[in-house]
Amino acid sequence: MKFKVLVGISLMMLILVISCQSDQSIEFARYYSSGSLLYQSHCQNCHGAKGEGLNALIPPLTDTVFIKNNIHMLACLVKNGLRGKITVHKRDFTEKMPPNDLAPIEIANVLTYVANSFGNKRGTIDVARVGTDLNNCR
């Protein structure tokens, strides 16, 4: 009898904790977890499991200053790729990054993951923001 009461109380507390999450934290978790899977299948091969990059060839994603200063350019980089020089962690990288055929929601997911991993803490990058950023690509 005591066991059933303890289980019941535990379940009620769990439901209470889950129901207390804000819509924003639920949305963030959804974007982040989907982004993790997309990162593994589309980005990890070059940028590494820990965002460390590949020596002098592929830039790391651990430069929180670069991510912060270029947050609105990231959607363009994912969608259109990159040719030419980019400076990250005070090092120049010239390898070509191929364009990606991800949908805007997938770009938002992967950017939310990257922008909140590897030492970065930038919050949710939602699909509306990605749409605006893609419209402003140079």
Side-chain angles (χ1 to χ4, degrees):
M1 181 69 177
K2 286 182 183 181
F3 177 73
K4 288 182 181 179
V5 170
L6 287 174
V7 169
I9 291 172
S10 296
L11 284 174
M12 287 175 46
M13 290 179 66
L14 178 62
I15 291 169
L16 181 63
V17 168
I18 291 171
S19 67
C20 289
Q21 290 183 338
S22 70
D23 289 342
Q24 289 176 336
S25 65
I26 292 169
E27 180 182 58
F28 173 81
R30 189 176 70 240
Y31 273 80
Y32 186 88
S33 62
S34 295
S36 173
L37 297 174
L38 287 164
Y39 180 85
Q40 289 173 24
S41 61
H42 292 277
C43 313
Q44 182 172 304
N45 221 20
C46 295
H47 290 286
K50 296 178 184 171
E52 69 275 15
L54 184 60
N55 297 322
L57 299 175
I58 309 294
L61 302 174
T62 57
D63 186 342
T64 59
V65 173
F66 180 86
I67 298 289
K68 177 185 173 190
N69 291 342
N70 296 285
I71 197 78
H72 295 289
M73 182 180 78
L74 298 178
C76 298
L77 292 178
V78 171
K79 184 71 174 174
N80 302 321
L82 177 69
R83 287 188 171 172
K85 183 175 83 169
I86 188 170
T87 303
V88 179
H89 273 313
K90 298 180 182 178
R91 292 188 344 214
D92 293 335
F93 295 89
T94 56
E95 282 296 311
K96 177 184 170 194
M97 178 176 156
N100 214 308
D101 63 347
L102 295 174
I105 186 65
E106 293 172 313
I107 294 172
N109 288 196
V110 78
L111 289 182
T112 296
Y113 175 74
V114 168
N116 292 281
S117 300
F118 320 124
N120 300 298
K121 301 282 186 238
R122 306 302 314 159
T124 303
I125 299 175
D126 65 21
V127 69
R129 181 165 165 189
V130 166
T132 299
D133 291 347
L134 288 175
N135 286 334
N136 294 323
C137 289
R138 295 181 236 140

